[in-house]
């Protein structure tokens, strides 16, 4: 066998030597795909998220198995960096696999997941900052989104969820800053990574905002056919109504608004009910159904009055606009005056809250005063219109609202002209021209700011797009490099035919040696299995014989009822024993059940001799451990028959299953009987006719099992330290590997 081993070793190294010489003569490719791994030296545990860099060419990251693949040339230097060890530099000598082993350093060694934890922390911080700055600075908010996106790795199982969340947040930013086209495209990217009903509703609303009514209709229609909550249904039907209204399909708009209204009323969504009544009134007005429109409008005003001042003022303003279109100026003026009172109170509260209070540009005193004056002027009540126009101009000037100031000044000039007060009209029109010039300058500045704002948003959007494209490009580049290397490998096949022949010969010899070794191992295994079966076949009759002796005792004492009861329990035990008799191993749970039943039977017979306890550590998963059947029963039987049975006072049998390590448990069988020494003396004195084979068989079984399964079971038998009459059996059972 030693000679065969030496020949095999020689043939193993021969092709390697030939291959090395052949490769030395071969022309190496300029660039090759280098594979390798990074692992801890002592534990051989893979380290993921390690950066492997070829200077000046690029960086890759190790995967969950610690493996990497990178394009490089002979002579290039690899720089291997990670938070858990010092930077390592390695010069590439050939195209062989590179396995980097990191030296353990208690001061510097950290968990391989630290990088992942840092990325997760940065991701959450940037996302939170983006949401906080959404309404303050769009560019800053988008920059935070970009930073969060850079923390995502493709090997992260939650990368799709994170991308979906980031693109949704990015779309929310664009939606808030009135960029519906960009919002729509980013909501689509979010849905591409992970479907979410709320995000799809946002997508449809962004399409509405961009006046893409047909696309919005299609999106809302898809949502309508999916599973929705009642609140979502109300939003979807409202969106369908808005889409049909935008397409001037008023009957379908009314139908869907009514469906949304019905759900909102049922679920007591008051804000939605007020809004839908207004929308129904507007669509009915477009159809010319003024009476029904007024009914819905009155409902909305009445409901709004029960809410806060802002809701009430807004709804009165909406109703006033409605009556303005139908030339009902009296109702319009009344509603605007009521709204004006609410707005004055709202503006006062906003001043108390400071500059952060959110304002609605349509709900201002200057706007309402101007519209009241316009309603009076439409009725040629010029004297009533003038005070409201002057108040509107005053308020607009104080708040730098040039648009309302311009309109009110022009209207004031027109009113004076209609009254025949031409000089005052002339002064008003001159003031109007001055305001126009100011407004022109303001608008020019606003256009310039809007242009810069749009350009800045576009730059941020391009950076995010570039990040995604770079990610895809890197994947494509690595795949291309791998394919190129495969082609180069195929070109060298012809030069390696002789090497393959030698390798084939070596494999045949190795196979022959392996077959010889396997046959020898199988023969030893078969012998061990045969020995185990023989011992098991001896164990079952031994156990049955002892149990039947117990039944015989009951019958001999004319205790037939007890014997019958004992036989019933004994039959259950025998069935369990016979079911497991052909198995080499059974789950520990089954062995415990069998042991409980056996001890119960023995206690039934010797109730006046002992009590017993069976304790199982709750930390032990008894389904993870396998044990030879009937391994523990002989020890328990020995404790009862040779220890506790001869004791004058009542004894105690304790069986404990205790977790020792993560891979092993300790089984302790303890009795406070007469002890091994006294038991032997009694046995000699009484001249026992039969010598127990149970313990001998158990020792042989354990010896064979440990030989086959590498020390699976250890057994220690000792006298109790504090009681020379007691006996303790301790077994160490290990998990299967």
């Amino acid at each position: 066998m030693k000679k065969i081993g030496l020949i095999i070793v020689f043939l193993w190294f021969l092709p390697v030597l030939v291959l090395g010489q052949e490769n030395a003569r071969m022309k190496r490719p300029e660039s090759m795909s280098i594979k390798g791994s990074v692992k801890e030296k002592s534990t051989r545990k893979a380290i993921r998220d390690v950066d492997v860099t070829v200077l000046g060419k690029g960086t890759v990251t190790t995967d969950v198995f610690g493996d990497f693949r990178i394009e490089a040339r002979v002579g290039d230097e690899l720089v291997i960096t990670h938070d858990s060890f010092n930077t390592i530099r390695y010069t590439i000598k050939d195209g062989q696999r590179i396995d980097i082993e990191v030296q353990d350093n208690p001061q510097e060694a950290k968990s391989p997941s630290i990088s992942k934890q840092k990325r997760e922390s940065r991701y959450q911080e940037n996302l939170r900052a983006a949401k906080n700055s959404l309404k303050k600075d769009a560019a800053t908010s988008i920059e935070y989104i970009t930073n969060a996106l850079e923390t995502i790795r493709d090997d992260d199982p939650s990368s799709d969820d994170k991308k979906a969340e980031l693109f949704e947040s990015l779309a929310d930013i664009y939606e808030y800053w009135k960029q519906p086209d960009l919002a729509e495209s980013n909501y689509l990217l979010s849905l591409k990574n992970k479907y979410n009903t709320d995000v799809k509703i946002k997508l449809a609303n962004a399409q509405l905002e961009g006046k893409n009514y047909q696309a919005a209709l299609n999106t809302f229609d898809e949502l309508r056919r999916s599973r929705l909550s009642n609140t979502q249904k109300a939003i979807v039907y409202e969106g369908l109504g808005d889409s049909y209204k935008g397409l001037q399909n008023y009957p379908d708009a009314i139908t869907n608004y009514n469906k949304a209204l019905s759900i909102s009323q049922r679920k007591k969504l008051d804000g939605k009910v007020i809004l839908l009544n207004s929308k129904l009134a507007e669509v009915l007005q477009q159809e010319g159904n003024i009476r029904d429109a007024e009914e819905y409008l009155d409902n909305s005003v009445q409901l709004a009055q029960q809410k806060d001042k802002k809701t009430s003022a807004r709804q009165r303003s909406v109703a006033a606009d409605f009556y303005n279109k139908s030339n009902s100026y009296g109702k319009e003026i009344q509603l605007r005056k009521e709204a004006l009172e609410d707005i004055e109170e709202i503006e006062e509260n906003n001043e108390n809250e400071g500059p952060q209070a959110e304002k609605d540009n349509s709900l201002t005193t200057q706007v309402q005063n101007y519209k009241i004056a316009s309603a009076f002027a439409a009725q040629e009540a010029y004297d009533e219109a003038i005070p409201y126009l002057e108040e509107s101009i005053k308020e607009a000037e104080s708040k730098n609202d040039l648009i309302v100031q311009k309109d009110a000044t022009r209207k004031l000039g027109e009113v004076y002209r209609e009254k025949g007060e031409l000089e005052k009209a002339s002064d008003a029109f001159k003031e109007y021209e001055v305001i126009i010039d100011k407004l022109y300058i303001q608008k020019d500045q606003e256009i310039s700011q809007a242009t810069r704002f749009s350009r800045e948003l576009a730059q941020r959007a391009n950076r995010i797009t570039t990040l995604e494209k770079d990610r895809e490009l890197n994947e494509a580049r690595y795949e291309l490099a791998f394919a190129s290397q495969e082609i180069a490998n195929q070109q060298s096949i012809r030069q390696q035919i002789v090497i393959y022949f030698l390798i084939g010969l070596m494999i045949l010899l190795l196979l022959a040696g392996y077959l010889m070794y396997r046959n020898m191992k199988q023969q030893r295994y078969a012998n061990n299995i045969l020995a185990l079966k023989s011992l098991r076949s001896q164990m079952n009759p031994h156990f049955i014989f002892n149990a039947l002796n117990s039944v015989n005792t009951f019958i001999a004492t004319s205790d037939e009822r007890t014997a019958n009861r004992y036989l019933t329990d004994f039959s259950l035990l025998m069935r369990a024993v016979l079911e497991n008799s052909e198995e080499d191993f059974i789950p520990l749970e089954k062995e415990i059940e069998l042991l409980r039943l056996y001890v119960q039977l023995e206690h039934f017979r010797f109730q006046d001799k002992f009590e017993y306890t069976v304790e199982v550590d709750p930390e032990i998963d008894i389904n993870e451990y396998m044990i030879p059947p009937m391994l523990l029963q002989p020890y328990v039987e020995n404790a009862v028959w040779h220890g506790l049975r001869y004791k004058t006072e009542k004894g105690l049998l304790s069986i404990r299953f205790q977790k020792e390590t993560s891979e092993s448990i300790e089984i302790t069988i303890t009795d406070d009987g007469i002890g091994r020494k006294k038991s032997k003396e009694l046995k000699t004195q009484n001249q026992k006719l039969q010598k127990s084979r149970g313990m001998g068989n158990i020792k042989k079984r354990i010896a064979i099992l440990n030989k086959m399964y590498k020390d699976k079971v250890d057994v220690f038998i000792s006298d109790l330290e504090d009681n020379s009459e007691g006996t303790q059996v301790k077994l160490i059972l290990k998990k299967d590997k």
Side-chain angles (χ1 to χ4, degrees), residues 514-643:
Y514 169 74
L515 290 174
M516 291 173 62
Y517 170 76
R518 190 181 69 175
N519 287 337
M520 293 172 63
K521 187 176 180 180
Q522 286 178 343
Q523 186 62 42
R524 287 197 301 269
Y525 183 80
N527 292 339
N528 288 333
I529 291 294
L530 186 60
L532 281 175
K533 286 184 177 180
S534 175
L535 290 172
R536 280 206 307 269
S537 66
Q538 295 175 31
M539 284 295 298
N540 289 338
H542 168 80
F543 168 71
I544 295 169
F545 175 78
N546 288 342
L548 289 177
N549 275 340
S550 298
V551 179
N552 185 50
T553 301
F554 288 129
I555 295 172
T557 57
S558 300
D559 192 352
E560 294 183 9
R561 183 177 224 173
T562 305
N564 288 335
R565 182 177 170 189
Y566 186 90
L567 276 174
T568 301
D569 290 343
F570 173 68
S571 66
L572 295 175
L573 179 62
M574 282 306 304
R575 178 174 294 178
V577 170
L578 292 174
E579 284 178 354
N580 300 327
S581 62
E582 291 301 317
E583 300 292 335
D584 291 334
F585 289 94
I586 61 173
L588 181 59
E589 182 179 15
K590 284 189 176 182
E591 181 71 3
I592 293 173
E593 290 175 2
L594 190 148
L595 197 61
R596 286 181 192 272
L597 190 55
Y598 172 74
V599 176
Q600 180 181 332
L601 286 172
E602 292 291 37
H603 179 258
F604 182 63
R605 180 181 176 192
F606 300 112
Q607 292 183 11
D608 59 335
K609 289 296 183 180
F610 73 96
E611 295 293 340
Y612 71 92
T613 60
V614 180
E615 300 177 20
V616 181
D617 190 342
E619 292 187 9
I620 300 175
D621 187 348
I622 54 179
N623 291 317
E624 288 186 356
Y625 290 88
M626 302 297 289
I627 188 169
M630 297 290 289
L631 182 70
L632 304 177
Q633 183 271 337
Y635 292 111
V636 175
E637 179 182 335
N638 213 46
V640 174
W641 283 74
H642 301 293

Side-chain angles (χ1 to χ4, degrees), residues 273-436:
V273 171
I274 294 169
L275 180 60
L276 288 166
N277 273 289
S278 296
K279 289 186 175 183
L280 279 163
E282 185 180 356
V283 175
L284 288 166
Q285 186 184 45
Q286 293 287 340
E287 281 195 323
N289 189 350
I290 303 300
R291 195 172 78 175
D292 288 346
E294 287 182 357
E295 184 179 343
Y296 279 109
L297 199 62
D298 290 342
N299 289 338
S300 69
V301 172
Q302 290 173 12
L303 287 169
Q305 288 174 355
Q306 301 170 17
K307 308 297 285 185
D308 57 276
K309 292 288 184 183
K310 190 171 185 179
T311 303
S312 177
R314 183 186 294 111
Q315 203 54 39
R316 284 188 170 115
S317 179
V318 170
D321 291 339
F322 172 86
Y323 286 119
N324 176 272
K325 291 178 182 178
S326 59
N327 299 328
S328 300
Y329 299 116
K331 290 184 178 180
E332 178 191 0
I333 292 169
Q334 179 62 33
L335 285 165
R336 290 202 192 281
K337 286 181 178 180
E338 293 171 357
L340 191 58
E341 293 177 3
D342 292 336
I343 291 169
E344 288 173 350
E345 186 175 339
I346 293 168
E347 289 183 346
E348 184 179 347
N349 292 335
N350 285 346
E351 286 176 5
N352 294 333
E353 292 173 10
Q356 296 301 322
E358 213 171 301
K359 296 179 177 64
D360 188 339
N361 291 332
S362 65
L363 296 181
T364 59
T365 54
Q366 64 267 25
V367 170
Q368 296 304 319
N369 277 309
Y370 167 70
K371 289 187 176 182
I372 291 171
S374 297
F376 277 124
Q379 300 177 86
E380 299 182 359
Y382 301 124
D383 291 333
E384 288 84 352
I386 289 172
Y388 284 101
L389 286 170
E390 289 174 345
E391 183 65 23
S392 177
I393 292 168
K394 178 183 174 183
E395 291 285 340
E397 186 175 8
S398 68
K399 296 171 183 175
N400 197 30
D401 190 347
L402 291 177
I403 294 176
V404 175
Q405 188 181 358
K406 166 187 71 76
D407 292 338
T409 303
R410 188 194 72 238
K411 179 61 74 174
L412 182 62
E414 292 174 353
V415 168
Y416 279 130
R417 185 179 61 195
E418 293 297 327
K419 284 188 66 178
E421 298 180 18
L422 299 180
E423 186 176 348
K424 290 183 178 180
S426 176
D427 291 341
F429 283 127
K430 286 179 182 178
E431 182 64 24
Y432 170 74
E433 290 177 359
V434 172
I435 296 170
I436 285 290

